[in-house]
């Protein structure tokens, strides 16, 4: 008899659910039972989409812009995306070299699904966004995980990259600023990685720049295709409006890369979703073409929150947290908690147990670092109002201070 699992596609059967969404589901269940939970688990801005972007979406509905668009996206939006890459990244691309998808995740999925064959390898620095290895798995590829410790700022080194590349390597994934660490690659660091990649002409590069505008301390963002133009014909640069414009629910991601790859991704999308929401595309057009002061305000707000949260975490017994340079995550080592017991008697034998105990006993939701490929850590998303962040950090300090052993 065929089991239920046996009826599934074997790549899907081997993939794991998103650890982040599992925590979010637990938070929803606890709140439904009446528990007061402060969630530091969701990776999205806590404020509304800018008003002029909202109005553009409403205007699109009222003017009848509610039908299918071209599979690759509205030409006007693709032209705006091309201008964005020229204006902000110094990359001159044609509108035909762009693609609009249902969020940044679909850009990544389309690229890997269009190019991976069974046995192909994808180099992924760890800590990584939880979906990278699972998307590789779903597409029939093999993830080659390269651990990147706090000693390197959680960033891939040239030696680490060189040692991970084999004759089977199809892609290397770079994410800056990083989810979950907030690490940002400098121009010199990207150039050093580019020098390695120039020696491997068959390797493609996926640059996930979704947190591009959330970069702190006056740092300048750079992306690898900008740093090394000789790589441009094999780099897919992915971005979107979700994080920069607080538009996570609008589901608009985009990318640019070599024409053969964009064409292949469009072909796949044509048989998959037929394109992104027309209403959301008009809103995204307003975001890219309209005033950009929202980005400056949100960046300043997140930097202030970062400073407060990291200071508070480093005051908690057993936690250590480096200062992230971007995104809205703190990645705190909880090695000092492992082996201790909570007031309720829970033995904290790994970082997932720490996360569960924090939720159950302190009412604070975080995500365990092992889900991102590096333990024992906690990912804390500080995309939350100041009052809630202060309460959450206080609860974490009290939890850590009350451990025994």
């Amino acid at each position: 008899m065929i089991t239920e699992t046996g009826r599934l596609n074997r790549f899907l059967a081997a993939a794991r659910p998103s650890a982040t969404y599992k925590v979010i589901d637990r938070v929803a269940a606890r709140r439904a039972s009446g528990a007061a939970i402060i969630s530091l688990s969701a990776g999205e801005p806590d404020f509304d989409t800018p008003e002029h972007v909202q109005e553009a979406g409403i205007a699109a509905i009222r003017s009848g812009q509610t039908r299918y668009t071209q599979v690759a996206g509205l030409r006007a939006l693709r032209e705006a995306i091309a201008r964005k890459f020229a204006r902000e990244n110094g990359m001159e691309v044609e509108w035909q070299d762009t693609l609009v998808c249902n969020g940044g995740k679909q850009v990544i999925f389309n690229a890997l699904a269009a190019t991976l064959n069974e046995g192909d390898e994808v180099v992924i620095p760890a800590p990584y966004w939880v979906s990278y290895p699972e998307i590789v798995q779903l597409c029939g590829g093999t993830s080659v995980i390269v651990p990147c410790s706090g000693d390197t700022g959680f960033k891939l080194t040239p030696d680490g990259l060189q040692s991970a590349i084999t004759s089977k390597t199809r892609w290397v994934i770079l994410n800056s600023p990083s989810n979950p660490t907030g690490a940002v690659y400098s121009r010199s660091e990207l150039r050093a990685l580019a020098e390695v990649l120039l020696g491997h002409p068959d390797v493609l590069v996926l640059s996930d720049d979704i947190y591009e505008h959330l970069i702190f301390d006056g740092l300048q963002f750079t992306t690898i295709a900008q740093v090394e133009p000789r790589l441009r014909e094999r780099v897919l640069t992915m971005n979107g409006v979700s994080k920069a414009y607080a538009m996570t629910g609008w589901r608009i991601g985009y990318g640019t890369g070599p024409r053969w790859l964009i064409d292949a991704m469009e072909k796949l999308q044509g048989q998959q979703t037929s394109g992104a929401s027309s209403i959301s595309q008009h809103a995204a057009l307003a975001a890219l073409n309209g005033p950009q002061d929202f980005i400056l305000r949100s960046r300043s707000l997140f930097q202030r929150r970062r400073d407060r949260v990291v200071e508070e975490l480093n005051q908690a017994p057993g936690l250590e947290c480096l200062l992230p340079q971007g995104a809205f995550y703190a990645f705190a080592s909880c090695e000092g908690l492992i082996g201790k017991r909570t007031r309720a008697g829970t033995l904290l034998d790994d970082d997932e147990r720490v996360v569960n105990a924090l939720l159950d006993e302190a009412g604070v939701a975080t995500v365990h670092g092992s889900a991102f490929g590096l333990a024992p850590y906690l990912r804390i998303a500080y995309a939350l109002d100041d009052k809630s962040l202060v309460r959450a950090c206080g609860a974490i300090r009290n939890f850590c201070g009350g451990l025994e052993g």
Side-chain angles (χ1 to χ4, degrees):
M1 179 180 292
I2 300 176
T3 64
E4 291 183 2
T5 301
R7 297 177 189 276
L8 296 175
N9 173 278
R10 60 193 175 95
F11 299 130
L12 176 62
R16 297 168 298 179
S18 167
T20 304
Y21 282 107
K22 286 179 67 176
V23 173
I24 291 172
D25 288 344
R26 284 201 65 203
V27 169
R30 291 296 310 281
R31 285 173 172 168
S33 68
I37 304 296
I38 303 174
S39 180
L40 307 179
S41 58
E44 62 178 346
D46 59 302
F47 27 80
D48 291 335
T49 303
E51 187 173 353
H52 73 280
V53 178
Q54 296 182 40
E55 292 301 324
I58 294 169
I61 295 172
R62 289 177 172 164
S63 62
Q65 304 296 326
T66 55
R67 293 173 171 80
Y68 293 132
T69 70
Q70 299 94 326
V71 169
L74 292 166
R75 175 166 174 172
L77 178 55
R78 296 173 74 188
E79 289 175 340
I81 291 167
R83 290 194 299 271
K84 175 261 182 264
F85 281 120
R87 178 179 69 246
E88 297 180 348
N89 307 116
M91 295 165 53
E92 297 294 334
V93 301
E94 302 293 331
W95 67 268
Q96 297 95 328
D97 300 322
T98 67
L99 181 72
V100 179
C101 298
N102 292 276
K105 186 178 289 188
Q106 191 186 21
V107 179
I108 298 169
F109 197 104
N110 283 354
L112 298 184
T115 56
L116 288 181
N117 291 300
E118 197 165 354
D120 288 344
E121 294 178 348
V122 179
V123 174
I124 304 176
Y128 47 70
W129 179 46
V130 294
S131 290
Y132 292 147
E134 305 311 318
I135 294 174
V136 171
Q137 166 67 32
L138 289 168
C139 295
T142 300
S143 296
V144 176
I145 306 301
V146 183
C148 304
S149 71
D151 293 339
T152 65
F154 303 115
K155 290 180 275 191
L156 182 64
T157 65
D159 288 344
L161 174 58
Q162 181 68 63
S163 65
I165 294 176
T166 73
S167 60
K168 297 180 180 180
T169 304
R170 184 66 166 154
W171 285 92
V172 172
I173 297 180
L174 299 174
N175 176 212
S176 175
S178 162
N179 175 7
T181 67
V184 176
Y185 286 88
S186 67
R187 177 178 288 270
S188 61
E189 289 168 335
L190 288 176
R191 188 172 299 282
L193 295 177
E195 286 298 321
V196 174
L197 291 164
L198 287 171
H200 298 277
D202 294 329
V203 175
L204 300 168
V205 183
L206 197 161
S207 184
D208 181 348
D209 298 353
I210 197 71
Y211 294 96
E212 170 187 4
H213 289 296
L214 294 175
I215 189 167
F216 309 134
D217 305 319
L219 295 177
Q220 181 179 9
F221 175 82
T222 51
T223 191
I224 195 163
Q226 172 187 14
V227 169
E228 181 47 83
R230 287 178 292 175
L231 288 177
R232 197 167 293 178
E233 284 305 307
R234 49 191 173 104
V235 175
L236 175 68
T237 305
M238 188 280 286
N239 213 312
V241 297
S242 293
K243 315 298 183 179
Y245 302 98
M247 295 177 67
T248 52
W250 296 81
R251 308 310 305 134
I252 295 293
Y254 56 82
T256 186
R259 187 74 59 86
W260 67 267
L261 177 59
I262 295 297
D263 289 346
M265 293 166 65
E266 180 182 359
K267 179 180 179 181
L268 176 62
Q269 185 160 294
Q271 300 299 341
Q272 182 191 57
T273 62
S274 298
S277 159
S278 59
I279 299 160
S280 295
Q281 288 191 58
H282 283 281
L285 181 62
L288 291 176
N289 284 346
Q292 303 296 299
D293 54 321
F294 176 85
I295 290 175
L296 298 177
R297 293 197 304 271
S298 62
R299 181 188 300 157
S300 176
L301 176 63
F302 280 126
Q303 181 170 326
R304 180 169 54 79
R305 289 177 177 176
R306 175 206 63 172
D307 294 343
R308 179 77 176 266
V309 167
V310 171
E311 180 182 3
E312 296 262 1
L313 291 174
N314 281 322
Q315 292 175 8
L319 295 185
E320 293 184 9
C321 188
L322 297 177
L323 190 70
Q325 296 177 314
F328 38 64
Y329 307 107
F331 201 60
S333 170
C334 61
E335 186 173 3
L337 308 184
I338 304 303
K340 296 187 176 183
R341 287 189 182 274
T342 70
R343 291 188 178 98
T346 302
L347 175 63
L348 304 179
D349 51 5
D350 60 26
D351 57 1
E352 186 170 7
R353 193 64 60 88
V354 173
V355 164
N356 291 337
L358 268 172
L359 178 59
D360 295 335
E361 301 179 31
V364 178
T366 60
V367 186
H368 46 293
S370 52
F372 303 94
L374 191 66
Y377 281 84
L378 305 176
R379 191 196 75 169
I380 291 98
Y382 50 85
L384 202 60
D385 65 275
D386 290 355
K387 184 178 179 180
S388 296
L389 285 175
V390 169
R391 287 170 48 218
C393 289
I396 291 172
R397 287 202 318 274
N398 290 337
F399 172 87
C400 294
L403 299 179
E404 300 177 352

